[in-house]
């Protein structure tokens, strides 16, 4: 992914992480609380099979739509 798209994607990821604060269910594996930013990155890696930085530019729009989908799931 080119640098411009990486910055845009990271901005969307951090905005979603901010949105998810205190919205993720508690987990016995995270007694100190869950990290919403890490949660988003794990979901992206599961969906695309790689880090958001390694997603191809032609799949950028799909990544943004996936991020929007995650947000609607937690509304």
């Amino acid at each position: 992914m080119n640098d411009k798209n990486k910055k845009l994607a990271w901005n969307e990821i951090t905005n979603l992480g901010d949105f998810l604060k205190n919205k993720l269910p508690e987990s016995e594996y995270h007694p100190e609380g869950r990290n919403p930013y890490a949660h988003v990155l794990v979901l992206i890696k599961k969906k695309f099979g790689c880090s958001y930085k390694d997603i191809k530019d032609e799949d950028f729009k799909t990544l943004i739509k996936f991020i929007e989908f995650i947000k609607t799931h937690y509304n």
Side-chain angles (χ1 to χ4, degrees):
M1 182 182 302
N2 67 45
D3 288 339
K4 178 184 173 190
N5 285 347
K6 281 182 194 175
K7 288 179 183 178
L8 291 171
W10 182 248
N11 187 45
E12 292 297 317
I13 290 166
T14 56
N15 287 340
L16 180 55
D18 291 343
F19 173 78
L20 291 177
K21 283 182 183 176
N22 302 316
K23 291 189 179 186
L24 296 175
E26 291 183 16
S27 169
E28 65 184 63
Y29 301 108
H30 305 282
E32 302 291 320
R34 294 180 67 182
N35 180 334
Y37 308 100
H39 180 71
V40 173
L41 294 171
V42 167
L43 292 175
I44 290 170
K45 191 164 189 172
K46 282 183 183 179
K47 169 79 173 169
F48 292 92
C50 60
S51 166
Y52 82 95
K53 295 177 187 179
D54 297 326
I55 294 172
K56 296 177 183 176
D57 284 313
E58 53 266 21
D59 293 327
F60 177 74
K61 288 183 181 180
T62 304
L63 171 63
I64 298 303
K65 286 180 183 180
F66 181 65
I67 292 169
E68 291 169 359
F69 169 78
I70 297 169
K71 185 172 184 177
T72 61
H73 178 76
Y74 284 98
N75 257 341

